[in-house]
Amino acid sequence: MKQPFHLNDPRYHLAALFVLCITVAATMFTEAMITPALPVIQEEFGVSSVWTSWVLMIVLLVGAIVTPIIGKCGDLYGKKRMMLLCIGVYLVGVFASGWAPDIWSLIFFRALQGAGLGLFPLGYALIREQFPEEKVPIAIGTIAAMFGAGAFVGMFVGSWIIEHVGWRMTFHVITPVVVLLLLAMAIIIVPSPPARKAAIDRKGLVVMTLGLLTLVIALTLGGQVGWASPEVLLCAVLTILFAVVFVRIEKEAPDPMVDLGMIKNPPVLIAMAIGFFVCMISFIIIQTLPYLIESPTGLGLSRLTVGLVMMPGAIADMICGPLTGVLIRRRGVRTAMLIGTSVVAAGAVCYLFLPLSVASLVVAGLVYNAGMSVALTSNTIIVVDSVRPEETGVGTAVYHTVQNLGGMIGPVIAGIFLTLHTTAVPGWSVEVPTQDAFLGIFVTVICIAAVVLLIGGRLRDPGRDGAGRR
């Protein structure tokens, strides 16, 4: 197939950025659409909120495992090829989810959608590889804005669809969009130049996969069978063992899966830590708000209200992404990170201390999502600037894996509170969370936000003149 653009054509940069942005927006659109449906899914399938949390969590779990592999393969075999593979698997998962007959098949089909998370680091790596250096921060900020844009549209459209048609239609609606994206990506994106000659570090790949798998199993089982249970302790020991073996393998490998020098870089370590905790908070809130808004122990409002309450925060996320790119070019990444982490903490305080109402949730969402957007966009730029160009795919993939792990833990934490503190309400077939559940959740959110603020204060600006590049 003849490419309509070449790499040095400014029109290509616009077209490629458009495709990448719509891809991110469509993925977030799907995740946002399903969020208001969690109580409905719980009631339809007759399961506890711990299992409905898996509807969100399984995507992140699978993403955490496969994203580093996809990133490394993108560096070696071409970003476009791996992007097409990811979106193809994602398409199968989206299509099948709308026909899931039970919670177990829904969780399995959602697991296939976890491959879609590999698109994000590949997109950032493609920008680093194919865009002029001066355009990279703004392009990354623009893509970051699409997380908010997709969530903004998805929350509103999803709430309306769930209220009037049913939650299954949310997947039916997005399926043709993903088909068009697959075609657009195949036509527009220019293939990467020939990869350097290297083989995948198979030993490192296997050990890393096993380590991530035992880690996520330990984290998910901990909230269900107890953190001191033999199963969790065994998985924890295996995770440590695999980590030690992985470090030894990577030190000796001629072409390692992960450059350990990148992880030792202090700005990258800080970025990963902040990404982990901010994503954890975000998914705690995402899991909690539908119950807080819809349950009679909360506001007792309609499913459509969930989308309306969460939309302003998504708009703040959408606006702050590109602005962060501009801010970093002018004032440096430290200033942006301090602003982002401070606003995240302020948003967490709003969730706990403002009187419960639609207006207070809107204000808290606006503040929190603005800070989240600034912090996560800053993190991505730090990581992109800190790795060698030929390792951008795996570098950003490792960062996104850390984010996914944090996001995966979030619904588990929320699910524990929502399950432990429940009460029976006439007219509801399942028990609903009490006020103690929501109080415990938002106290936890504030504690995590305080950690984020402390970590952010330790960042030192590497500068935008190429410092930090290797």
Side-chain angles (χ1 to χ4, degrees):
M1 181 184 298
K2 185 178 179 180
Q3 296 293 143
F5 304 104
H6 58 81
L7 281 179
N8 296 324
D9 188 343
R11 295 176 303 167
Y12 170 67
H13 300 143
L14 291 175
L17 183 60
F18 177 79
V19 171
L20 294 174
C21 285
I22 299 302
T23 301
V24 171
T27 305
M28 294 308 300
F29 180 84
T30 306
E31 297 306 304
M33 278 203 302
I34 199 63
T35 299
L38 295 180
V40 185
I41 293 172
Q42 178 182 352
E43 186 173 5
E44 177 177 328
F45 292 139
V47 295
S48 72
S49 57
V50 171
W51 288 113
T52 55
S53 70
W54 274 74
V55 175
L56 292 178
M57 184 179 62
I58 192 66
V59 177
L60 301 173
L61 188 154
V62 173
I65 294 173
V66 305
T67 297
I69 301 170
I70 292 172
K72 184 67 173 182
C73 290
D75 286 336
L76 293 180
Y77 305 122
K79 291 147 182 101
K80 178 177 180 176
R81 181 181 300 178
M82 296 308 300
M83 290 172 74
L84 292 174
L85 175 63
C86 287
I87 199 168
V89 176
Y90 181 76
L91 174 60
V92 173
V94 169
F95 174 78
S97 292
W99 306 99
D102 51 48
I103 189 66
W104 315 114
S105 57
L106 177 60
I107 290 173
F108 173 75
F109 296 140
R110 289 280 291 162
L112 294 180
Q113 295 174 48
L117 299 185
L119 289 165
F120 302 156
L122 289 174
Y124 293 132
L126 193 78
I127 287 175
R128 170 79 178 277
E129 180 181 274
Q130 298 185 352
F131 282 43
E133 185 174 354
E134 66 275 9
K135 293 184 178 180
V136 170
I138 303 299
I140 290 176
T142 303
I143 290 182
M146 294 301 104
F147 286 87
F152 164 69
V153 178
M155 286 171 189
F156 180 76
V157 174
S159 299
W160 188 91
I161 290 174
I162 293 164
E163 185 76 20
H164 294 90
V165 185
W167 65 269
R168 295 177 185 277
M169 185 57 67
T170 59
F171 293 105
H172 299 329
V173 165
I174 197 63
T175 298
V177 176
V178 181
V179 172
L180 292 175
L181 274 173
L182 179 62
L183 295 174
M185 195 175 291
I187 294 170
I188 293 174
I189 299 298
V190 175
S192 304
R196 57 196 172 91
K197 295 295 181 180
I200 288 186
D201 174 18
R202 299 180 188 278
K203 291 182 180 179
L205 187 153
V206 171
V207 174
M208 181 178 67
T209 301
L210 291 173
L212 287 172
L213 184 60
T214 53
L215 174 61
V216 296
I217 290 174
L219 294 173
T220 51
L221 285 179
Q224 301 175 42
V225 300
W227 295 104
S229 66
E231 301 97 320
V232 174
L233 293 177
L234 175 61
C235 287
V237 171
L238 288 175
T239 299
I240 295 172
L241 177 62
F242 285 132
V244 172
V245 174
F246 178 73
V247 170
R248 293 189 63 180
I249 290 174
E250 297 305 277
K251 285 182 176 179
E252 298 174 0
D255 192 55
M257 276 291 297
V258 178
D259 182 356
L260 298 178
M262 173 196 74
I263 300 177
K264 293 178 182 178
N265 190 345
V268 174
L269 274 176
I270 291 173
M272 288 185 174
I274 291 175
F276 176 84
F277 287 116
V278 169
C279 286
M280 185 188 299
I281 295 173
S282 299
F283 277 86
I284 290 175
I285 294 171
I286 289 172
Q287 172 78 359
T288 302
L289 286 185
Y291 291 93
L292 182 60
I293 294 168
E294 297 178 35
S295 299
T297 50
L299 294 176
L301 300 175
S302 69
R303 300 179 190 103
L304 183 60
T305 308
V306 177
L308 295 174
V309 167
M310 298 177 77
M311 273 199 307
I315 295 174
D317 185 0
M318 180 173 57
I319 293 172
C320 290
L323 293 180
T324 303
V326 175
L327 175 63
I328 288 175
R329 288 185 62 185
R330 295 180 178 178
R331 302 295 300 274
V333 73
R334 173 177 166 79
T335 298
M337 186 64 77
L338 289 175
I339 292 173
T341 53
S342 298
V343 178
V344 162
V349 170
C350 290
Y351 275 116
L352 180 63
F353 290 105
L354 291 180
L356 180 60
S357 66
V358 170
S360 67
L361 292 179
V362 168
V363 169
L366 276 168
V367 176
Y368 174 78
N369 280 275
M372 176 195 70
S373 181
V374 175
L376 295 185
T377 303
S378 300
N379 285 344
T380 303
I381 293 174
I382 288 172
V383 174
V384 168
D385 277 355
S386 299
V387 299
R388 293 193 295 265
E390 66 272 17
E391 293 185 341
T392 308
V394 69
T396 52
V398 171
Y399 167 64
H400 275 272
T401 293
V402 173
Q403 277 191 319
N404 292 341
L405 289 173
M408 187 202 68
I409 297 171
V412 175
I413 293 174
I416 291 171
F417 284 102
L418 294 172
T419 302
L420 289 179
H421 304 283
T422 60
T423 185
V425 174
W428 285 66
S429 59
V430 294
E431 292 189 340
V432 298
T434 65
Q435 286 292 321
D436 287 340
F438 301 129
L439 177 63
I441 287 171
F442 290 126
V443 168
T444 303
V445 164
I446 281 190
C447 293
I448 300 172
V451 173
V452 169
L453 188 58
L454 290 173
I455 296 173
R458 298 185 63 84
L459 180 68
R460 294 294 177 264
D461 199 335
R464 298 293 304 161
D465 58 356
R469 294 184 185 275
R470 299 181 305 153

